Amino acid sequence: MASVTQHQIQKFHQDGFLALEQFFSAEECDSMRRQIQSIVAEMEVPPHCRTAFSTREEEQLQAQGSSDYFLTSGDKIRFFFEKGVLDEKGNFLIPKEKSISKIGHALHAYDPVFKQITHSPKVQELGRKLGLERPVVVQSMYIFKQPGIGGEVTPHQDATFLHTEPLGRILGFWIALEDATQENGCLWFIPGSHTNGISRRMVRAASGASTCVEFVGSEPAYDDKQFTPLPINKGGLILIHGEVVHKSELNSSESSRHVFTFHVMEAKGTTWSKENWLQPTPELPFPSLYT
């Protein structure tokens, strides 16, 4: 891995994203893939995925189960599935390793392989080059982007979901564990779109509401022509500013697009919003990146 240059850091501040090819080795990528295979092999399907849909009331319980499962996943390793892969009894219609959409949100804290990658010396060095003084890791996810069914991710800004005061304190590290191409759903960005603040926020709904989270504000209609694709090879790292607008398309190809991604917050002089879906817990305060 070549050291990141001041010119590249300048480019990151200008565009709101930066691709660093070959940041991780093929061996590091393969070790993450092997580790996730063993996690999936031992996975139990969560109960809320198993309830048969019958009455309205059960549907609401189902939705509540899903939302609780999501809301309390910040300090656990949990499983989220693509649409249409489970029948109404919660049995898999396709092999389970092909049905899963993502695993989150605390792999960085509880899994030795992902913890080592997240806190690797080269990630810490990059943090220091970017001027991060007290970076903490707030969440991580393994994203599968399954062949043929890996759903699109509509244009968004990460700070919509991970809000801080002031803004500009959230940074995504996005690691390609396989080549990410236009065919299998690479990321697309609007260069320079990280300078206008955010247009909407996802907040925890008041207790007793029918959904667990709600959106305040709205996502503007973005012009497709503004987006630039950013394919990257296996082992590449993409840095993502918390306010840059990005998306990915449906994976219509025959190959998956596995990714490990985690978000870091500069904790110095920063307030984490109490309204964010994700909250640190006594069991898992946000760990320092530099340990």
Side-chain angles (χ1 to χ4, degrees), residues 44-271:
E44 292 291 325
V45 178
H48 72 267
C49 294
R50 292 188 180 282
T51 359
F53 292 110
S54 45
T55 66
R56 267 310 300 261
E57 196 176 327
E58 278 182 20
E59 256 178 70
Q60 284 170 341
L61 287 172
Q62 170 104 2
Q64 190 53 50
S66 307
S67 63
D68 290 345
Y69 186 78
F70 167 71
L71 273 188
T72 57
S73 67
D75 62 352
K76 297 178 192 68
I77 294 175
R78 293 233 164 129
F79 304 95
F80 302 90
F81 300 92
E82 289 291 355
K83 289 188 181 72
V85 298
L86 295 159
D87 67 15
E88 70 278 5
K89 295 193 182 70
N91 299 317
F92 288 104
L93 297 166
I94 59 174
K96 67 177 181 177
E97 64 279 4
K98 293 230 176 351
S99 66
I100 192 156
S101 159
K102 60 185 188 186
I103 297 179
H105 289 90
L107 286 161
H108 63 280
Y110 295 128
D111 181 89
V113 172
F114 292 99
K115 187 175 193 171
Q116 193 179 0
I117 293 286
T118 303
H119 296 275
S120 59
K122 51 195 165 190
V123 169
Q124 296 182 346
E125 186 199 351
L126 180 53
R128 293 196 167 93
K129 286 252 171 79
L130 289 161
L132 300 175
E133 291 185 57
R134 281 209 296 131
V136 295
V137 187
V138 298
Q139 68 148 359
S140 57
M141 271 189 299
Y142 191 104
I143 304 170
F144 293 80
K145 201 76 158 178
Q146 302 282 4
I149 60 167
E152 65 167 340
V153 177
T154 54
H156 68 283
Q157 298 166 292
D158 292 343
T160 284
F161 308 97
L162 309 171
H163 191 265
T164 60
E165 307 259 329
L167 284 171
R169 300 302 173 89
I170 291 289
L171 179 61
F173 289 71
W174 192 97
I175 305 160
L177 305 184
E178 304 178 270
D179 294 351
T181 64
Q182 284 197 46
E183 292 68 46
N184 74 0
C186 71
L187 294 177
W188 295 65
F189 290 89
I190 301 183
S193 57
H194 60 303
T195 55
N196 308 323
I198 56 172
S199 56
R200 67 176 185 151
R201 285 183 57 188
M202 184 172 96
V203 298
R204 283 180 173 243
S207 60
S210 57
T211 56
C212 62
V213 292
E214 54 197 15
F215 285 98
V216 179
S218 59
E219 203 62 73
Y222 297 108
D223 177 358
D224 274 348
K225 290 192 282 296
Q226 291 181 286
F227 285 91
T228 308
L230 194 60
I232 192 161
N233 295 310
K234 175 178 176 172
L237 169 71
I238 300 178
L239 282 178
I240 305 174
H241 186 287
E243 283 101 84
V244 75
V245 178
H246 58 290
K247 67 173 183 176
S248 68
E249 304 292 342
L250 173 82
N251 181 1
S252 51
S253 80
E254 302 288 297
S255 54
S256 55
R257 190 222 66 187
H258 287 205
V259 163
F260 177 58
T261 177
F262 58 92
H263 283 91
V264 162
M265 170 178 74
E266 169 61 90
K268 188 180 177 188
T270 309
T271 310

Side-chain angles (χ1 to χ4, degrees), residues 20-34:
L20 298 169
E21 287 281 8
Q22 297 180 322
F23 193 88
F24 289 96
S25 67
E27 295 78 58
E28 287 171 311
C29 293
D30 295 343
S31 74
M32 288 187 264
R33 292 201 61 183
R34 277 196 304 274

